[in-house]
Structures are given as structure tokens and as C-alpha cells.
Amino acid sequence: MNGFWHSFGWRQGWRAFVTCLLLLLLLAACNNDEPAADRPPAGEPVVVAADGSGAQQQTAGQDNGNAGGAVAAPTPAPTSTPEPAGRIVLWHSWGGKDSDALAAILTSFQARYPQVTVDTLFVADTDLPKAYADAVRAGSGPDIMLAPTWWLSDFVDIGVVHPLDLLVNAADLEAYWPAAVDNMRWNGQLYGLPSDFELVSLFVNQSLAAAGGPPATTADMLAQAQAAPAQGAGFYNSLYHLYWGLPAYGGRLFDDAGVAVLDQGGDVAGYLAWLRQMSQTEGSYVDTDYGMLLDRFKKGEFAYFVDGPWAIDELSAALGPNLAVAALPAGPSGPARPWLHADGILFNPAATPEQQRLALLFAQHFTNAESGSVLANVAKRLPANRNAVLGDNPLLQGFANQATTAESMPSRPEMQEAWGYAGDMVIKVVDGGADPTGTVTETAALINEANNK
């Protein structure tokens, strides 16, 4: 027993001695004389050497040339994104100055994306819709087409255009005029990106306009015309040219279900009565003869003419610097809201996902601010991109200003019946002396009956 305890005591003493020695070494390691400046402040992250050894470390933001000699971790090499590459096909019917603008945009796209080739094919606008639809239904056709939204509803009905809602987001669309984006929709779905647009505004012959400037309201316009025939106005009697006055008088053509509601709310009858007063005033005209109205305005027979940007070149040649563009007059219920219709890029649903991605890349380039500036300055088109630079063209700027109150022209099927009946409505009141209120009620009923509403 004594030998056992003696042996046990010796072993215990030795273990105690080793433990004390280890504790002393540990304390010495914890109390080394590393300079405080080389230690990261509390809570500040440490960058570890790329090899993970921890042998080299640096406080985030520490100067590489510090006295401690710490070495920064190497910056990871950025992951390279593959350059877009491939070939897409575009069909269009743009000629003349439009073709020049398209060529310039294609050149800038090629410079930006040298690995993407865009093949273009010109097809006359009278042949383009059928040629495109037939090709797509046969499983071929172009990847994209440049087209007006006049054709959109028919294309959707026969399934030859691809919706974009899953390819673009709301932020991508903020650069465009809202009415231009809405004009590329059908039944709530987006089918294209808008490139340019048209709408009517008020052409002004400044040599004849009133000293106080163009009329701000319909009442002002009538008063100016009654005071001086030369300050009269010309109105082409078509629903497209005259629609702006319906919302200005609080009216609507359709509700959300496509029911004609001309007689429900607002004062459409009051607008028709105003048009009749203008027509009965010397020097003012509301007529279905567009050529006559254009010719009279060019000859300086009246100061104001409601028309679109397609007339700029012809009117500028006749009136020179006297030609200006002003906002359409407001009505009793608010600003004039002309219809806006757009051109844009439509997508082939038969294209592969990769082709659609390349097509979208081109469509976004074609409709960006840089390309919009080309459309304005070369083709004299109104770019759908609100950030495009219109240069020193005050006439285009006037139409762009009007776009702030514009509405998207409906592309719903019920419009087919509205064109004729609404045009007849104005003729009955202006030329035939019909009662405005009764005519509005009758017209709404005729449109709804024709549309089975």
C-alpha cells in the first residue's frame, strides 16, 4: 500500500508540474508583445489570406503600405458574362427617312453587340400583316416585326404574337410614355415595346393667331373665332381627330367591358353642340374633306388646325417659321385627351427562347433614348421613349407635350363598329341639325347593338 501511494503521489506531482508549465506557456502566448496597431479593432472584420492559412491578414480598409507589412487579399477575378451572339431577322415596311433612321440604329446596335447580326427584310405595308401572319402560322417568319398597333388585335386573335409580360418588368417600361405602353397591350397583356407614336394636337399659324396666343379652352377658341374669322379653326370629322373633346367634356366612348357609354356621364352632347357652333362661325370648318381643310390652312384662311405630325413637312413648306404646335384646348371637365397610337416591335411566338432573348435585346436598343433621338432627328418621328432628345425641333416638342395628357387608342374589337357610328354622330349634329342629346343616346345604342352588348 505504501509503495502504491508513493507511486501515485509521484505521478500526481509530475502531472501538476506539467500542467503548471503548460499554463505558463499559454499565458506567455496570450501576452505576447504584438503591436496594438497591427491588431484589428474590436468588431472590425478581418480579411484572411486567399490560401485560408490565416498567416497573412489585413483589417478591411487598412493601407497596404502600413508599417506592419500586412498584405491585402487578392481581389477575386470577376466572372465574365458571355457576349451575346447569334442572328435574328426583322421584317418592316419603313422607307425613305424612316429607312435612314433604321439603318443608323442598326449600325449603333452592331457596334454595341458585334456578335449579333440583324437581317432585315422590307415588305410593303399593304402586304406585311398577311405575309407575317402566314409565315408564323407555317412555323417560320422573322423573329421580330416593326408594326403599328392597328394590327395587334388581329394578330393576338390568330396567335402570331408573343406576350412579353414574363420578359420585361415594370421598371423597364417606365422610360416610355404610359399611353404608348398601354397601346401595346391587348386584354391586359403586353405584346410589344413601343418605338414611336402619333396623336393629334393643334397646329397654329402664328401670323393669324390672337395676340394673347392660342386658345386655352374650347370657350376661348369659339370666342376668338367669333371675334375674327381669321382666328377660326379647321376640324377633320373623324373619330380619331375629334375624340380629344369627349374626355375634355367628361365623356367616355367605352367602359371596361366594351359597352358604349357616350350617354352615361359627362356632357358629350355639349361637345357636339360646341362643334356645331364652331362650324357655323365664319372662317371655321368641321368637315369630312381632309384635303380641303389642309389646303385652306396652308393658304392662311384660318389660324388653327387639328392634325398629326404626319403633316409637319407639308405645312412647314407652306407656312415656314409661322408654323407652331400648341396644346389642344381644354374643356369644361379637364384637358383635351387625344388618342395616341404607337408603332413597336412585335415578337414571333414560334421563335426559340434564345432567339427571343436576342430579339428582346434588339428591341430594347431600338426603343431606348439614344435610338429615340435618331427617330426624332432623322425620321421626324415622335419617340416613345420619354428620355429621347428631340433636338431643336419645336414642332415635335409640341406634340410630345400633348402626349402628357394623351390616352391610348383602344384596340378592342368593339372599335370596328364605333368608327362609323361615331363619325355619323358628328355629321348628324353639325351638318344635319340633329338634337345633340338624342343623337348621343342613339349612337351609343347603335354601337352596342352592333357589338351585341
Side-chain angles (χ1 to χ4, degrees):
M1 292 292 294
N2 290 338
F4 171 80
W5 284 110
H6 175 77
S7 175
F8 175 80
W10 180 84
R11 286 196 298 269
Q12 288 293 94
W14 174 252
R15 289 173 182 170
F17 170 77
V18 172
T19 301
C20 290
L21 180 60
L22 289 174
L23 286 173
L24 289 173
L25 291 173
L26 181 59
L27 287 173
C30 293
N31 290 284
N32 65 65
D33 56 353
E34 176 189 1
D38 290 340
R39 301 174 190 166
E44 193 167 322
V46 174
V47 179
V48 181
D51 62 3
S53 65
Q56 297 176 342
Q57 62 183 26
Q58 180 186 0
T59 302
Q62 185 176 349
D63 186 356
N64 286 345
N66 64 70
V71 179
T75 302
T79 303
S80 60
T81 301
E83 184 76 16
R87 182 181 296 272
I88 57 174
V89 178
L90 165 70
W91 285 8
H92 68 94
S93 57
W94 281 25
K97 293 180 180 179
D98 294 338
S99 178
D100 294 339
L102 175 58
I105 294 172
L106 287 168
T107 298
S108 65
F109 179 79
Q110 188 71 58
R112 185 173 180 182
Y113 300 104
Q115 302 302 317
V116 181
T117 300
V118 182
D119 294 327
T120 64
L121 177 66
F122 174 88
V123 183
D125 56 1
T126 53
D127 300 325
L128 182 56
K130 185 178 187 305
Y132 171 79
D134 289 347
V136 173
R137 285 186 291 185
S140 60
D143 298 291
I144 46 178
M145 179 179 65
L146 182 56
T149 52
W150 298 100
W151 305 338
L152 183 57
S153 60
D154 290 337
F155 283 164
V156 174
D157 288 345
I158 61 177
V160 296
V161 284
H162 185 73
L164 301 184
D165 299 274
L166 298 180
L167 300 178
V168 298
N169 54 49
D172 296 329
L173 303 176
E174 290 178 356
Y176 308 109
W177 290 104
V181 174
D182 289 343
N183 203 231
M184 305 300 295
R185 299 186 192 276
W186 176 257
N187 288 337
Q189 285 192 299
L190 182 70
Y191 283 94
L193 295 184
S195 57
D196 57 281
F197 67 91
E198 290 181 334
L199 78 175
V200 299
S201 195
L202 189 67
F203 280 111
V204 180
N205 183 337
Q206 297 182 102
S207 67
L208 301 176
T217 67
T218 53
D220 293 339
M221 177 171 276
L222 179 60
Q224 286 190 19
Q226 291 173 337
Q231 294 172 14
F235 303 92
Y236 177 46
N237 183 8
S238 77
L239 180 58
Y240 178 79
H241 277 71
L242 296 178
Y243 172 79
W244 59 270
L246 269 66
Y249 278 72
R252 290 192 301 162
L253 179 57
F254 291 114
D255 65 11
D256 294 339
V259 176
V261 290
L262 289 165
D263 56 341
Q264 300 177 29
D267 187 16
V268 175
Y271 175 49
L272 297 180
W274 176 80
L275 286 172
R276 181 162 64 188
Q277 283 183 286
M278 288 296 302
S279 181
Q280 293 172 347
T281 300
E282 184 183 357
S284 293
Y285 304 86
V286 180
D287 205 284
T288 56
D289 189 340
Y290 175 79
M292 178 272 292
L293 294 168
L294 188 69
D295 188 57
R296 285 180 180 273
F297 183 65
K298 289 193 299 182
K299 291 178 178 177
E301 295 188 18
F302 47 82
Y304 309 111
F305 181 45
V306 176
D307 206 12
W310 52 83
I312 286 178
D313 286 347
E314 185 173 352
L315 295 180
S316 294
L319 301 178
N322 286 322
L323 185 66
V325 175
L328 291 163
S333 298
R337 298 189 180 279
W339 272 338
L340 179 154
H341 70 91
D343 286 345
I345 302 285
L346 303 180
F347 291 68
N348 186 342
T352 65
E354 177 57 29
Q355 289 299 105
Q356 288 178 352
R357 282 192 289 271
L358 291 175
L360 180 61
L361 190 71
F362 176 76
Q364 289 172 330
H365 180 86
F366 191 83
T367 61
N368 67 17
E370 175 190 353
S371 298
S373 301
V374 174
L375 293 178
N377 292 287
V378 177
K380 306 304 184 216
R381 286 180 176 253
L382 288 163
N385 193 300
R386 292 186 288 182
N387 300 316
V389 177
L390 302 184
D392 58 353
N393 192 325
L395 302 178
L396 282 183
Q397 188 60 60
F399 282 103
N401 292 341
Q402 186 70 73
T404 61
T405 64
E407 293 182 5
S408 172
M409 188 182 73
S411 55
R412 57 189 323 131
E414 291 84 4
M415 280 296 299
Q416 292 294 102
E417 303 297 340
W419 290 115
Y421 285 120
D424 290 344
M425 175 180 70
V426 179
I427 293 174
K428 290 175 183 177
V429 173
V430 172
D431 298 334
D435 172 62
T437 301
T439 305
V440 169
T441 302
E442 175 191 38
T443 301
L446 288 170
I447 295 173
N448 287 330
E449 181 181 359
N451 286 321
N452 296 316
K453 298 289 184 180

